[in-house]
């Protein structure tokens, strides 16, 4: 991705090239540089979170305790979740927004360039706090990524570091969202009306509003946690008149929209890739916009389906159950539109399309298990089992991560001016797809058989499927090393065929039709004129 | 904003229709285009919030009806 420097452009009267060396990255206000930083940061965190996942799967390969103390195992599951959600997936989508949103709407850069720099550089600080918390007395937080009280009020200083890290990441997300919204609403090229915006831009606009709405809720929850821990308040302490269940309500009022924050930009990427490789316009463009808005609104009224076993009046349970089932309607509309876009299209299956089709196939399975879990009587059985673990990995790995891979392979020719290695890309897809399913499909069976999540040891009858899952996990992890090599080759080493301005003939958004490959360091100095 | 044309104001019925279809996640392109030119963002947001409130209330009523029948 660093291959985007276009020194020729430095001679341009109105343009200047980047600083050389490390200062380029520290001081940059360029949306492409900051996008690159976000993407490398998130990939680094993805590898860190992945190593934690492999540590988990190594322990679970056999029943009994092999490698880790149970306390440390809990730290592994907690930190894996926190790092993947806040350090890997969310920043990766912001990286895509930084690179793509200005180019797709014909803007020269993001609206608040310095804020953009700050939004990014807060993240390594937060990541250091989070990962560093392993080394403080008592280790990292082990309360689960949901940091439920009262467990989280009793943890050691690792919990405080996690709270500060979440505060910083939340501030970064809010600033990033303000930037994205302002850019989209104010900096579109003349003629780029809202109804002509690419779906990726639409999904990010809606996601940014979601982020601004819910990140402060999380900040509130963890601030109350902090004051409960250190300043004598009793928000979540029943002995002091508080209520630990209130934490769960507040957390999930953030947490459920958060789920959609992690998938809506992915929907946007898939909605760019599928039409490009089907050589047809997206079917039901306006439906897609409306469905995204609908999902966003509904995401605020389903949070307590995460809490069916906590205790709630029957009327409350029924309400959240019905609302949750109804959210499948707009999601189903999206899947229908993608399939219909492909229908009778002139399709080809380069790596981005493989990941996009794989996304639809596997994400839909995750969606269906979500529907199953939404049915309260079933959820009572499956709460906190591996069925839930399987469900959300189908949504987050096969959903968010596969869409990120699709987006990377789709846009990297524009970013670097080089084509990635197609053969290795296809290997990456098939290995990821197969090992993903080997890892997570057996977890459905484990969950149905009653294996609880977040445990380092398990009863003997679960041994077989755990063995398969662990083998799959290591295969999946190694497949991502292949991705690292593919990414290094095309971005850092600059290997690969030269990419034309429009290497995908079906792609018709502004970055393909108006900008050369690689996109110049400063693009759209002059606003493009749209017919 | 890119839209320089002065939007015709939309009737409340058109607003309600747009919000209803958006909850379902389906909209005809022609209708969507007229929505975007004729509806103001503030109108849509307010109508969306009202729509969400109506949606929540109707679910609550449905639930209350079911629970009262069971008792």
């Amino acid at each position: 991705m660093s291959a985007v420097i276009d020194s020729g452009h430095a001679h341009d009267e109105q343009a200047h090239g980047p600083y050389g060396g490390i200062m380029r990255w520290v001081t940059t206000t360029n949306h492409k540089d900051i996008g690159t930083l976000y993407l490398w940061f998130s990939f680094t965190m993805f590898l860190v979170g992945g190593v934690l996942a492999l540590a988990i799967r190594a322990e679970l390969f056999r029943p009994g305790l092999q490698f880790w103390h149970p306390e440390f195992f809990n730290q592994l599951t907690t930190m894996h979740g926190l790092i993947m959600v806040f350090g890997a997936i969310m920043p990766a989508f912001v990286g895509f927004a930084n690179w793509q949103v200005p180019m797709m709407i014909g803007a020269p850069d993001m609206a608040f360039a310095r804020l953009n720099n700050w939004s990014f550089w807060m993240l390594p600080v937060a990541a250091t706090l989070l990962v560093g918390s392993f080394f403080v007395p008592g280790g990292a937080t082990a309360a689960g990524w949901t940091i439920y009280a009262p467990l989280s009020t009793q943890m050691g200083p690792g919990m405080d570091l996690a709270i500060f890290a979440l505060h910083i990441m939340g501030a970064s997300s809010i600033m990033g969202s303000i930037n994205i919204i302002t850019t989209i609403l104010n900096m579109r090229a003349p003629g780029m009306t809202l109804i002509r915006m690419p779906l990726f831009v639409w999904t990010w606009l809606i996601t940014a509003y979601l982020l601004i709405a819910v990140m402060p809720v999380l900040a509130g929850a963890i601030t109350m946690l902090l004051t409960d821990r250190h300043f004598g308040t009793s928000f979540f302490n029943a002995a002091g008149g508080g209520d630990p269940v209130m934490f769960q309500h507040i957390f999930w009022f953030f947490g459920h929209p958060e789920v959609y924050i992690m998938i809506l930009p992915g929907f946007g990427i898939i909605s760019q890739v599928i039409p490009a490789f089907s050589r047809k316009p997206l079917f039901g463009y306006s439906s897609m916009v409306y469905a995204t808005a609908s999902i966003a609104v509904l995401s605020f009224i389903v949070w307590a389906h995460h809490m069916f076993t906590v205790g709630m009046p029957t009327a409350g349970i029924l309400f959240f159950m019905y609302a949750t089932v109804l959210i499948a309607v707009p999601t189903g509309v999206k899947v229908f539109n993608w399939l219909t876009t492909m229908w009778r299209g002139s399709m080809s299956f380069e790596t981005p399309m493989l990941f996009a089709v794989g996304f639809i196939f596997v994400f839909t399975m995750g969606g269906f298990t979500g529907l199953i879990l939404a049915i309260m009587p079933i959820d009572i059985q499956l709460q906190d089992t591996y069925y839930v673990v399987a469900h959300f990995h189908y949504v987050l790995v096969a959903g968010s991560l596969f869409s990120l891979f699709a987006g990377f392979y789709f846009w990297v020719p524009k970013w670097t001016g080089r084509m990635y290695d197609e053969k290795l890309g296809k290997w990456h897809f098939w290995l990821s797809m197969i090992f993903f399913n080997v890892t997570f499909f057996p977890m459905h069976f484990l969950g149905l058989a009653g294996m609880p999540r977040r445990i380092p040891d398990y009863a003997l009858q679960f041994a077989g499927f755990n063995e398969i899952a662990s083998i799959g996990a290591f295969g999946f992890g190694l497949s991502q090393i292949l991705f690292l090599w593919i990414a290094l080759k095309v971005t850092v080493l600059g290997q690969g065929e030269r990419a034309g301005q429009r290497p995908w003939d079906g792609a018709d958004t502004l970055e393909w039709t108006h900008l050369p490959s690689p996109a110049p360091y400063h693009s759209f100095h002059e606003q493009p004129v749209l017919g | 904003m890119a839209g320089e044309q002065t939007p015709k104001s939309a009737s409340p019925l058109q607003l309600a229709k747009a919000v209803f279809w958006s909850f379902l996640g389906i909209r005809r392109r022609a209708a969507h285009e007229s929505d975007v030119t004729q509806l103001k963002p503030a109108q849509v947001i307010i109508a969306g919030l009202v729509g969400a409130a109506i949606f929540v209330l109707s679910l609550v009523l449905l639930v209350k009806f079911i629970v009262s029948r069971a008792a």
Side-chain angles (χ1 to χ4, degrees):
Chain A
M1 283 160 245
S2 55
V4 292
I5 316 165
D6 180 0
S7 53
H9 241 73
H11 303 297
D12 197 308
E13 243 175 69
Q14 298 174 6
H16 59 86
Y19 281 100
I22 187 85
M23 288 313 283
R24 168 183 176 184
W25 302 104
V26 176
T27 59
T28 185
T29 51
N30 180 287
H31 73 101
K32 299 185 181 80
D33 277 355
I34 294 173
T36 301
L37 285 170
Y38 265 108
L39 290 176
W40 276 115
F41 169 82
S42 58
F43 190 67
T44 310
M45 295 308 281
F46 171 66
L47 293 181
V48 173
V51 168
L52 301 183
L54 293 186
I56 293 168
R57 285 316 317 173
E59 178 62 55
L60 294 175
F61 184 66
R62 288 251 180 278
L65 294 179
Q66 273 77 227
F67 299 104
W68 319 120
H69 290 291
E71 298 80 8
F72 183 65
F73 183 89
N74 289 343
Q75 295 174 28
L76 289 176
T77 54
T78 303
M79 294 296 283
H80 165 71
L82 287 174
I83 286 174
M84 286 303 199
V85 168
F86 294 101
I89 296 179
M90 289 171 68
F93 281 126
V94 182
F96 274 87
N98 259 292
W99 258 103
Q100 288 306 126
V101 166
M103 292 202 291
M104 292 175 104
I105 61 172
D109 205 310
M110 297 292 278
F112 304 119
R114 293 182 192 180
L115 186 78
N116 204 11
N117 174 294
W118 196 33
S119 308
F120 172 76
W121 280 107
M122 290 171 93
L123 286 179
V125 178
T128 310
L129 283 175
L130 202 56
V131 177
S133 69
F134 272 116
F135 305 101
V136 299
T141 168
W145 88 275
T146 52
I147 51 176
Y148 275 4
L151 213 47
S152 48
T153 52
Q154 296 162 4
M155 292 272 147
M159 188 70 225
D160 298 315
L161 294 184
I163 288 173
F164 291 136
L166 288 179
H167 269 132
I168 295 171
M169 287 175 174
S172 162
S173 285
I174 291 169
M175 290 191 297
S177 302
I178 291 170
N179 213 343
I180 288 167
I181 291 172
T182 314
T183 307
I184 295 174
L185 292 186
N186 294 291
M187 294 176 68
R188 279 174 286 129
M192 176 60 76
T193 54
L194 285 173
I195 49 164
R196 292 178 69 180
M197 281 198 321
L199 238 288
F200 178 70
V201 181
W202 259 115
T203 52
W204 242 116
L205 179 66
I206 292 168
T207 303
Y209 276 110
L210 278 183
L211 273 167
I212 291 181
V214 300
M215 291 315 284
V217 177
L218 174 70
I222 57 179
T223 304
M224 285 188 267
L225 210 54
L226 195 69
T227 61
D228 268 15
R229 286 168 56 80
H230 296 292
F231 304 109
T233 58
S234 299
F235 290 111
F236 308 126
N237 179 3
D243 183 1
V245 176
M246 185 172 76
F247 179 85
Q248 298 187 22
H249 280 292
I250 302 173
F251 180 86
W252 285 114
F253 191 78
F254 145 80
H256 201 80
E258 169 71 13
V259 172
Y260 291 96
I261 287 165
M262 288 191 283
I263 199 63
L264 290 181
F267 286 172
I269 293 174
I270 299 302
S271 302
Q272 301 301 138
V273 172
I274 296 270
F277 291 90
S278 304
R279 291 159 184 87
K280 272 176 69 188
L282 183 71
F283 181 86
Y285 167 89
S286 40
S287 301
M288 291 299 242
V289 174
Y290 278 60
T292 309
S294 176
I295 291 171
V297 171
L298 292 176
S299 74
F300 283 99
I301 58 164
V302 296
W303 77 89
H305 67 214
H306 296 272
M307 303 166 53
F308 281 152
T309 55
V310 171
M312 225 184 302
T314 310
I317 286 175
L318 288 177
F319 174 84
F320 286 108
M321 187 169 113
Y322 295 161
T324 305
V325 172
L326 284 171
I327 210 167
V329 174
T331 315
V333 166
K334 281 182 168 295
V335 174
F336 175 82
N337 284 345
W338 289 321
L339 296 179
T340 317
T341 304
M342 289 190 277
W343 178 252
R344 294 192 167 179
S346 174
M347 292 167 71
S348 61
F349 291 92
E350 287 87 349
T351 311
M353 184 63 163
L354 284 177
F355 269 106
V357 174
F359 165 97
I360 296 176
F361 174 54
V362 198
F363 172 81
T364 306
M365 286 161 68
F368 273 123
T369 52
L371 270 179
I372 292 167
L373 285 168
I375 311 296
M376 184 276 287
I378 303 178
D379 187 71
I380 298 284
Q381 311 296 317
L382 296 176
Q383 164 86 25
D384 269 339
T385 67
Y386 261 80
Y387 194 88
V388 179
V389 177
H391 157 69
F392 67 71
H393 281 94
Y394 265 76
V395 179
L396 287 178
V397 180
S400 307
L401 185 64
F402 278 19
S403 70
L404 287 164
F405 285 145
F408 172 81
Y409 288 112
F410 183 55
W411 279 309
V412 81
K414 181 54 63 186
W415 299 345
T416 63
R418 301 260 173 200
M419 296 303 288
Y420 59 88
D421 189 325
E422 185 66 54
K423 198 172 160 193
L424 289 183
K426 284 185 171 150
W427 268 101
H428 175 227
F429 168 74
W430 285 110
L431 288 172
S432 295
M433 187 71 173
I434 291 166
F435 281 122
F436 167 78
N437 281 293
V438 172
T439 310
F440 294 105
F441 204 79
M443 291 187 188
H444 292 110
F445 305 134
L446 286 171
L448 289 170
M451 178 171 162
R453 63 192 282 209
R454 294 169 175 156
I455 51 160
D457 188 10
Y458 49 82
L460 281 178
Q461 71 263 30
F462 303 129
F465 284 129
N466 269 299
E467 208 173 275
I468 296 171
S470 288
I471 292 168
F474 276 86
F476 189 81
L478 290 175
S479 311
Q480 306 324 311
I481 303 297
L482 176 62
F483 176 69
L484 175 62
W485 170 238
I486 296 170
L488 281 175
K489 244 178 101 172
V490 68
T491 59
V492 177
L493 302 179
Q495 293 177 9
E497 281 174 45
R498 288 208 169 275
Q501 173 170 329
R502 202 171 164 186
W504 316 119
D505 51 347
D508 59 357
T509 41
L510 287 185
E511 78 277 29
W512 304 111
T513 54
H514 284 63
L515 293 176
S517 302
Y521 192 63
H522 295 283
S523 42
F524 292 130
H525 268 310
E526 287 169 27
Q527 286 179 318
V529 180
L530 308 177
Chain B
M1 297 283 277
E4 276 94 22
Q5 69 272 51
T6 46
K8 283 181 272 175
S9 60
S11 67
L13 182 68
Q14 192 185 351
L15 200 58
K17 266 189 188 167
V19 169
F20 171 78
W21 285 110
S22 72
F23 269 99
L24 201 60
I26 303 172
R27 193 76 169 135
R28 289 173 57 185
R29 180 176 278 269
H32 173 63
E33 280 171 15
S34 70
D35 286 352
V36 172
T37 50
Q38 291 178 16
L39 304 181
K40 291 176 195 150
Q43 283 179 323
V44 176
I45 291 167
I46 292 167
L49 291 175
V50 172
I54 292 171
F55 179 72
V56 169
L57 276 177
S58 49
L59 269 185
V60 168
L61 285 176
L62 175 70
V63 164
K64 280 209 181 287
F65 171 72
I66 290 169
V67 172
S68 68
R69 302 263 295 185

